[in-house]
């Protein structure tokens, strides 16, 4: 059933993007829709992704005894959803974590991507969730 909802959403997005929008409008709309689609896919697949990551880490003998959960990654600057991350820590802290905030910065000439577990998907009003770490990052090229 969830797959049908995703397909319907993709068809609506395709129709909206292809129905008489200018190139610049389509670019902006495309970015917004991609973020929305990514967010929806993360919401729908969070539990299976989390289980899959835990299976892989167990296979290699590096599993955790902490609680884990998959959350969306939100980008600083525009607040778009840019993928997913698995967070790990005590269950009470994991329950507080709603997203991973992504900050891209050049530090001493090296590109750094910093992921911080936070308590909100609103990038303008977030607090770091202390005691939680990012265990995995997932991204998809669209």
């Amino acid at each position: 059933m969830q797959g049908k909802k995703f397909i319907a959403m993709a068809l609506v997005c395709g129709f909206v993007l292809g129905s008489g929008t200018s190139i610049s409008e389509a670019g902006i709309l495309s970015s917004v829709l991609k973020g929305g689609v990514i967010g929806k896919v993360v919401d729908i697949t969070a539990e299976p992704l989390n289980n899959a990551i835990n299976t892989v880490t167990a296979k290699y003998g590096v599993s955790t005894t902490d609680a884990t959960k998959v959350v969306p990654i939100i980008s600083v600057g525009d607040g778009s959803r840019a993928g997913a991350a698995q967070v790990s820590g005590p269950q009470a802290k994991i329950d507080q974590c709603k997203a991973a905030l992504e900050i891209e910065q050049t530090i001493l000439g090296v590109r750094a991507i910093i992921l911080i577990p936070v308590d909100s998907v609103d990038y303008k009003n977030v607090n770091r969730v202390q005691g939680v770490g990012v265990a995995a990052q997932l991204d998809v090229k669209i």
Side-chain angles (χ1 to χ4, degrees), residues 10 25 27 67 93-94 125 128:
E25 289 172 333
K93 298 288 187 172
I94 291 297
N125 186 25
R128 184 182 199 128

Side-chain angles (χ1 to χ4, degrees), residues 6 9-10 13 32-43 142:
F6 180 74
M9 192 167 52
C13 291
V32 170
L33 289 174
K34 282 180 187 177
V37 169
I38 290 170
K40 190 65 174 170
V41 170
V42 171
D43 292 344
I142 296 183

Side-chain angles (χ1 to χ4, degrees), residues 2 11-12 19 30 51 58-60 80 87 97 103 126 135:
Q2 303 258 354
L11 289 172
V12 168
S19 62
S30 175
N51 293 337
K59 176 182 173 182
Y60 289 95
S80 66
V87 293
C97 189
I103 302 169
V126 297

Side-chain angles (χ1 to χ4, degrees), residues 8-128:
M9 192 167 52
L11 289 172
V12 168
C13 291
F15 176 74
V16 169
L17 287 175
S19 62
T21 57
S22 70
I23 293 173
S24 63
E25 289 172 333
I28 294 167
L29 188 56
S30 175
S31 296
V32 170
L33 289 174
K34 282 180 187 177
V37 169
I38 290 170
K40 190 65 174 170
V41 170
V42 171
D43 292 344
I44 291 170
T45 61
E47 189 173 337
L49 285 171
N50 189 55
N51 293 337
I53 293 167
N54 290 339
T55 299
V56 170
T57 58
K59 176 182 173 182
Y60 289 95
V62 290
S63 59
T64 182
T65 57
D66 286 337
T68 59
K69 173 169 96 170
V70 168
V71 296
I73 294 173
I74 54 175
S75 295
V76 168
D78 61 4
S80 66
R81 294 188 182 199
Q86 183 190 54
V87 293
S88 177
Q91 187 65 56
K93 298 288 187 172
I94 291 297
D95 292 342
Q96 294 173 16
C97 189
K98 303 297 181 213
L101 183 66
E102 178 181 85
I103 302 169
E104 276 194 58
Q105 188 74 48
T106 300
I107 302 171
L108 300 173
V110 178
R111 178 175 170 244
I113 299 174
I114 303 161
L115 294 170
I116 303 165
V118 293
D119 64 355
S120 173
V121 293
D122 178 5
Y123 78 100
K124 294 178 183 175
N125 186 25
V126 297
N127 297 297
R128 184 182 199 128

